[in-house]
Amino acid sequence: MAEKLVLAGPASEELGRSVAEKLGLPLLGAEFKVFPDGESKFTVTEKVSGKSILLVQSTHAPVDQHLFQLLLASHQLSEEGAKVTAVVPYLAYARQDKEFLPGEGVTLGVIAHLMRSMGVRRLVTVDIHSAEGLALFSFPTYSVSAVPSLVNYVKEKLELKDPVVISPDFGGSKRTEAFAQLYGAKFLQLSKTRDRTTGDVSVKESKLEVEGKEVVIVDDIISTGGTVRAAAEAVLKQGARKALAVCVHGLFVGDAIQRLEDASVEPIVSTNTVPGKYSKVDVADALASHLRTLEE
Ligand code: R5P
């Protein structure tokens, strides 16, 4: 059996180390550098031939830099004879997994090609935006669910009384329904639409049974905060007592937090697939449990 090591990339240093610790695996000696002009450099400082490397690197902002570091490291490690498993807790570009409007590039397909060409043998991610996206990859892929960890956190830390769990749109409804089931709460689904040209979000008005309730809005990603904000406004308008936001990947771009706070969304909870102030839920155990099941 090949010797296994973990390489904690610069985007996921803490999570990578924690995964290594949980698996009882050593960290690989390597150096990532970014030059003043933004170019990246990678150096592996030990022999990796015949070894299996779990390369942990999320691809949040700066997205292309983190992605390039992942590809560069994977290429070098495989050139030197290692087998690379890309562990990408937040997989960027996963939302563009098809041509929604004519002429659009299928970005996730490009990522799949790039990873393969750069030597990635397997991909492990957390809650990919849509499971259909995994079909674009021509090597084994796994999407680990952070839902049980999120449910545990909400149950243990937030002490809600008979909350209602809401999905802002149809796309994320399976994940959110799983959250509601595991929590043992009522599940409701809103109908969000996004203008594919302007990006503006609106939620269709419909009667919701949320009067006096604490409402947990669950989504895979919070980026600008527009989706959760629109959902919160809809439920608060209909008499909900409180609106909370729970997501897997908290990107919180620009003034997203301010927008959510202005709409009285509180608290805001995300996992540490993207590190930051709101990353209260650790996915290291979920990742380690899955990685333990992989051979080599
Ligand atoms: C889209 O379908 C995703 O599931 C999220 O709802 C979306 O990415 C959130 O983006 P924003 O926070 O910018 O509304």
Side-chain angles (χ1 to χ4, degrees), residues 95 129 169 192 194 201 219-227:
R95 281 169 288 180
H129 175 64
D169 55 25
K192 168 195 103 174
R194 185 186 292 277
V201 167
D219 208 349
D220 59 335
I221 299 170
I222 297 180
S223 179
T224 64
T227 301

Side-chain angles (χ1 to χ4, degrees), residues 67-273:
L67 178 65
F68 188 74
Q69 287 169 328
L70 170 77
L71 297 169
L72 178 63
S74 172
H75 182 253
Q76 189 56 30
L77 296 172
S78 25
E79 284 286 295
E80 296 200 18
K83 287 184 181 158
V84 177
T85 298
V87 181
V88 190
Y90 168 63
L91 181 63
Y93 291 116
R95 281 169 288 180
Q96 186 80 39
D97 57 3
K98 54 172 87 77
E99 192 179 323
F100 294 99
L101 293 178
E104 287 177 346
V106 181
T107 334
L108 190 61
V110 173
I111 303 293
H113 278 302
L114 286 171
M115 282 194 189
R116 182 171 187 108
S117 323
M118 295 303 119
V120 172
R121 305 263 189 123
R122 284 184 301 215
L123 167 70
V124 177
T125 186
V126 178
D127 284 281
I128 188 164
H129 175 64
S130 154
E132 290 162 29
L134 295 176
L136 295 167
F137 292 78
S138 54
F139 50 85
T141 53
Y142 310 88
S143 177
V144 175
S145 173
V147 167
S149 314
L150 286 167
V151 169
N152 284 345
Y153 179 89
V154 174
K155 275 201 155 167
E156 282 167 19
K157 306 279 184 203
L158 304 187
E159 295 175 357
L160 306 176
K161 286 189 193 79
D162 190 25
V164 173
V165 173
I166 284 210
S167 172
D169 55 25
F170 179 70
S173 62
K174 265 197 197 152
R175 183 181 299 105
T176 306
E177 199 169 359
F179 182 105
Q181 260 175 20
L182 216 51
Y183 192 103
K186 186 170 177 195
F187 166 73
L188 290 176
Q189 189 196 303
L190 297 180
S191 174
K192 168 195 103 174
T193 46
R194 185 186 292 277
D195 184 315
R196 290 214 166 266
T197 314
T198 64
D200 290 345
V201 167
S202 59
V203 167
K204 198 171 144 203
E205 295 241 355
S206 57
K207 177 82 192 104
L208 302 162
E209 283 172 37
V210 291
E211 179 101 40
K213 296 282 189 187
E214 293 172 305
V215 175
V216 187
I217 304 163
V218 180
D219 208 349
D220 59 335
I221 299 170
I222 297 180
S223 179
T224 64
T227 301
V228 169
R229 187 189 160 112
E233 284 170 348
V235 298
L236 291 170
K237 205 168 141 190
Q238 297 200 33
R241 189 153 59 86
K242 199 172 160 57
L244 302 79
V246 170
C247 71
V248 181
H249 312 292
L251 303 179
F252 306 123
V253 175
D255 61 354
I257 294 293
Q258 192 59 51
R259 294 179 81 192
L260 295 175
E261 285 176 355
D262 288 351
S264 305
V265 177
E266 204 267 331
I268 301 162
V269 176
S270 73
T271 77
N272 59 346
T273 59

